[in-house]
Amino acid sequence: MNRNAIAVGAWACALLVLGSLGPARAWSALLPALALAAAAVVPLLVLRGVLRLGVSRWASASVLALLLVLLGYLLSARAGTPLVRTVTDAIPMLLTEPQPLAVRADLLAAPVLLCGVVGLLVGLRLDKRGRVAPVAGAAVLHVAGLLLTSGSSDPYGLLSAALVVVSLAGWVLLDDHASTARTRIGVLGPVAALAVGAVAFTAAVPVSNAFDPRSVVRSPLVQVTAANPMPQLGAWSANPQREIIRVTGPEAPLRLVTLTDFDGVHWSSATRFARLGSAYSSGPPAGIRQEEFTHRIELLDLTGPWLPVPGAPEHLSSPEALADPTTGTVYLPGRPEGFTYTVTGRVDAPTRAQLSAASVPVTGRFADYLAVPDLPYALAEYAAEATRGAATAYDRALAVEAAVRGDRDYSPTAISGSAYWRIERFLLGSTDQPGGQVGGSEQFATAFAVIARQSGLPTRVVVGFRPGTAQPDGSRIVHGEDAMAWPEVYFEGLGWVPFSPLPDDPTFAHEDVDDPPRETTTPTQQPSDDPSVPEQLDPHQPGGADSGEDPAAAPAGSTDRTLLLAVGLAALVLAPLCVLWLLRAVRRLRHRRRGARGAWAEVLDAFVLAGIPLRTGDSATDVALRAEAVLGTPAAGVIAERAERAAYAPAGTPVEDSWPAEVADVRRAARSRVPWWRRWWWSLDPRPLRR
């Protein structure tokens, strides 16, 4: 095996390893990266070795393909699934599993087979003159990684830039032509720099509405049956000093279960759950201003399958946890006693000024949050009177909160229940009736939700806990007295906003417009997928509600900054190209003005670009004869003869200008010798400038 074949094989292996790093980024462990790299490289090396022994391509490829099928079968058998099912379910399974992916045989099988097939095909095409197969194979693996990870496998374009540089290095340095290594490296440097600049420009420009393959694959849902924790509120409240949870982290209420369906008698919780972190998006969009909380939670005396979380969960240390795709309620059956986990959640946190200007959605997915069975006449009249005169949606919510709170008393031992008769007794009954004008958080929250829905406010009820009591070690203990239910109203573009109709309960205090945001506040903006939903602006930001500017100016400013960045990066990439083109154009103009001798200089530039060697001491005739043999055109000889006549003939001897025809013939013939993928560089190549 000659040295060039070894170099080409090493180049192909390097490209495949770089390409396999893309899908390997879907895992956080080292083992998948090694497995995918080996799956891509080993078939290529084995195939090339077997072909060197004289075995036919068909036989070699068939045996290796069967070995790959056997490898896939072994991985499927380890996972306990048939090979056909492993292959057919590979894409939905990989796109719906939470990332980073777990190191499991069923998740590794399809990527390993893909890398093996790509490596085998590259090995079959490696000896072709164009040497496109290694680059194409690496590109396939790289694109597969981008799709698998929704672009996070190469967020800054570094892997793409490395693939471009290695591809160009192989094409330039391993081509069979007569240019010296120094000359080839001189070509590689600027081309690689420009290619890397183009990749950097592409990676730096923000892309809106980018395609996410995970968004088109529905996560598998698990049907579960579990008791609604609302009736447990009375049991927790009856034992107020019972230690339920230990929390370490910033102060925030904890959500246990979110309830959305009310049938006039009781609330019901979700029954379909998906793996936490998997691709789903069936709930209303989050608000433009949110707070993020990360808590370490130890369950001291909390029964049931539910896990308390601070808001909508994003990350949870237990990979077995399931979540309701709509509300974010977390479900984990069979957890051990004293279970401890770390969770990160986000809570909508709009300001009072934003709430005052917000509207509420009343159609589409929000119909379920407005559904309420026909109210008894007395309750319907009470709901109409409670919101009479309220000008905005937020005013209506505050009016409902005030009407439900009224002069009523909170009692953790009050008669439980959410049925209409209980709510009517709670709101309209006299104090001498059992349950009249007194209730627990269940009655306060349900009364708010029923009246709010009747008034056109999309509402849900949450069962959870107050932040708890601070401890000397910095943690907080959540006791039985901290268990409560509270209502939440959805506002357009602002998300779910909690209210507390309980008497003297400051758990949910809405920030005033002048209040500084908490340290945990992380402003975000997520566009609604409903085109009828207008985006809301933070009044603290330029163009917000309090700035006096046109609200449309903020998106325009963002667009202007993006456009300015794009123009700057484009100028950075295109400026060197423009300089090279200008220098080459000036050189051609100078040659043209010199007549026959300039025509010969232009021919010599074409020889340099085509890789035809120029030896010191050769006459123009010798060079022309050698070029004629290589290019197959006599035009170089004609130009050489005229150039020598112009150089050595007596002054005044007329010399024919050969620029229009013969120079074009030589350049056309020389350019045809250059590989197609380098011809675009012909007018920018700086090598003639150094001659």
Side-chain angles (χ1 to χ4, degrees):
M1 184 182 298
N2 57 42
R3 294 175 59 185
N4 189 63
I6 295 176
V8 171
W11 171 65
C13 290
L15 282 173
L16 291 179
V17 169
L18 286 174
S20 67
L21 291 179
R25 288 291 302 275
W27 290 267
S28 60
L30 179 62
L31 178 60
L34 297 177
L36 296 184
V41 170
V42 170
L44 183 149
L45 295 178
V46 172
L47 178 63
R48 300 309 301 175
V50 171
L51 292 179
R52 287 287 176 179
L53 296 177
V55 182
S56 68
R57 289 176 177 270
W58 182 89
S60 303
S62 299
V63 172
L64 287 175
L66 290 175
L67 291 176
L68 287 175
V69 173
L70 177 61
L71 176 61
Y73 173 79
L74 294 176
L75 291 173
S76 301
R78 183 175 180 82
T81 57
L83 176 60
V84 175
R85 182 178 174 183
T86 299
V87 175
T88 55
D89 293 348
I91 293 178
M93 184 167 53
L94 288 170
L95 292 180
T96 55
E97 282 288 320
Q99 293 189 3
L101 298 174
V103 183
R104 301 202 319 253
D106 56 339
L107 297 178
L108 278 170
V112 165
L113 289 177
L114 174 63
C115 291
V117 170
V118 169
L120 183 59
L121 294 177
V122 170
L124 288 172
R125 302 285 300 178
L126 188 59
D127 51 2
K128 299 299 180 181
R129 185 176 183 275
R131 294 185 183 133
V132 177
V135 179
V140 168
L141 296 180
H142 184 57
V143 171
L146 292 175
L147 293 175
L148 178 60
T149 62
S150 302
S152 62
S153 63
D154 192 20
Y156 306 109
L158 299 179
L159 192 55
S160 300
L163 284 171
V164 169
V165 171
V166 175
S167 300
L168 291 174
W171 278 338
V172 172
L173 301 179
L174 300 179
D175 268 352
D176 295 327
H177 51 68
S179 299
T180 63
R182 181 177 179 182
T183 301
R184 288 182 246 175
I185 294 175
V187 174
L188 175 62
V191 174
L194 291 172
V196 170
V199 171
F201 166 74
T202 304
V205 174
V207 180
S208 60
N209 300 323
F211 171 69
D212 182 1
R214 297 171 67 87
S215 64
V216 300
V217 179
R218 297 294 297 178
S219 302
L221 296 177
V222 178
Q223 194 79 17
V224 302
T225 302
N228 181 351
M230 183 77 87
Q232 288 185 286
L233 288 173
W236 285 325
S237 300
N239 190 358
Q241 296 307 310
R242 172 184 173 186
E243 296 185 354
I244 300 177
I245 305 169
R246 182 185 298 274
V247 183
T248 303
E251 182 176 339
L254 297 176
R255 302 167 188 242
L256 189 63
V257 174
T258 301
L259 308 172
T260 58
D261 299 329
F262 181 65
D263 60 4
V265 177
H266 57 76
W267 292 91
S268 58
S269 58
T271 58
R272 295 190 303 168
F273 290 77
R275 188 70 63 86
L276 179 63
S278 59
Y280 59 74
S281 179
S282 58
I288 62 173
R289 187 173 186 268
Q290 292 190 304
E291 294 180 0
E292 181 176 286
F293 299 92
T294 297
H295 287 163
R296 184 179 182 273
I297 299 177
E298 180 184 0
L299 305 183
L300 302 177
D301 190 11
L302 180 66
T303 59
W306 315 110
L307 293 185
V309 294
E314 291 194 338
H315 304 287
L316 198 143
S317 58
S318 177
E320 295 82 13
L322 304 176
D324 172 23
T326 303
T327 64
T329 298
V330 179
Y331 175 89
L332 181 62
R335 62 174 184 259
E337 185 178 353
F339 180 70
T340 302
Y341 59 97
T342 301
V343 60
T344 298
R346 300 186 73 87
V347 179
D348 296 315
T351 63
R352 185 181 294 272
Q354 289 174 313
L355 290 170
S356 299
S359 60
V360 293
V362 294
T363 58
R365 70 177 71 179
F366 297 97
D368 293 339
Y369 301 103
L370 292 164
V372 58
D374 292 338
L375 287 177
Y377 178 78
L379 280 181
E381 285 293 311
Y382 187 86
E385 184 63 28
T387 57
R388 194 181 309 278
T392 67
Y394 184 53
D395 289 340
R396 270 185 285 160
L398 292 178
V400 173
E401 184 182 51
V404 172
R405 181 186 298 121
D407 294 327
R408 297 178 180 89
D409 296 324
Y410 168 76
S411 173
T413 60
I415 300 175
S416 64
S418 300
Y420 275 158
W421 74 265
R422 177 67 185 96
I423 302 305
E424 188 171 5
R425 177 76 59 83
F426 167 67
L427 293 175
L428 304 176
S430 61
T431 55
D432 58 353
Q433 292 178 301
Q437 302 299 310
V438 62
S441 63
E442 177 183 3
Q443 287 72 52
F444 279 94
T446 301
F448 181 103
V450 168
I451 296 176
R453 289 189 174 190
Q454 182 72 10
S455 304
L457 300 174
T459 310
R460 66 186 188 182
V461 171
V462 179
V463 177
F465 304 93
R466 295 183 181 89
T469 305
Q471 303 298 305
D473 62 356
S475 65
R476 291 187 313 280
I477 296 295
V478 177
H479 298 89
E481 62 183 0
D482 294 316
M484 64 178 298
W486 67 84
E488 294 183 340
V489 177
Y490 188 88
F491 290 88
E492 199 82 85
L494 302 180
W496 290 104
V497 178
F499 290 82
S500 184
L502 292 174
D504 302 322
D505 181 32
T507 304
F508 303 106
H510 303 151
E511 288 186 28
D512 195 7
V513 66
D514 296 325
D515 290 343
R518 304 179 192 175
E519 293 182 359
T520 54
T521 298
T522 305
T524 60
Q525 185 164 341
Q526 300 182 9
S528 170
D529 54 2
D530 186 350
S532 65
V533 177
E535 293 185 358
Q536 302 291 330
L537 299 176
D538 189 340
H540 295 296
Q541 302 297 329
D546 293 347
S547 66
E549 301 175 8
D550 185 359
S558 176
T559 303
D560 292 342
R561 288 193 296 271
T562 301
L563 181 60
L564 184 61
L565 175 62
V567 171
L569 290 174
L572 183 64
V573 173
L574 295 177
L577 296 178
C578 294
V579 171
L580 288 176
W581 182 88
L582 182 61
L583 293 175
R584 288 287 308 279
V586 171
R587 182 178 178 84
R588 285 193 299 272
L589 181 61
R590 292 176 58 191
H591 289 168
R592 193 175 188 92
R593 291 178 176 177
R594 292 177 59 200
R597 285 181 292 179
W600 177 245
E602 189 69 17
V603 169
L604 294 180
D605 285 354
F607 291 169
V608 170
L609 296 174
I612 300 175
L614 300 176
R615 293 192 292 267
T616 304
D618 286 353
S619 65
T621 302
D622 295 335
V623 175
L625 291 175
R626 189 164 60 252
E628 182 177 344
V630 175
L631 301 179
T633 174
V638 175
I639 297 173
E641 179 183 352
R642 293 171 180 170
E644 288 188 333
R645 186 183 308 161
Y648 302 112
T653 302
V655 179
E656 182 179 351
D657 186 3
S658 57
W659 189 279
E662 286 80 2
V663 171
D665 290 342
V666 173
R667 283 197 304 201
R668 190 181 306 110
R671 194 167 182 268
S672 65
R673 279 179 46 86
V674 178
W676 61 268
W677 48 267
R678 279 172 43 197
R679 291 176 188 171
W680 69 273
W681 183 245
W682 180 273
S683 299
L684 304 174
D685 198 321
R687 286 181 295 172
L689 302 175
R690 299 180 300 175
R691 189 178 63 81

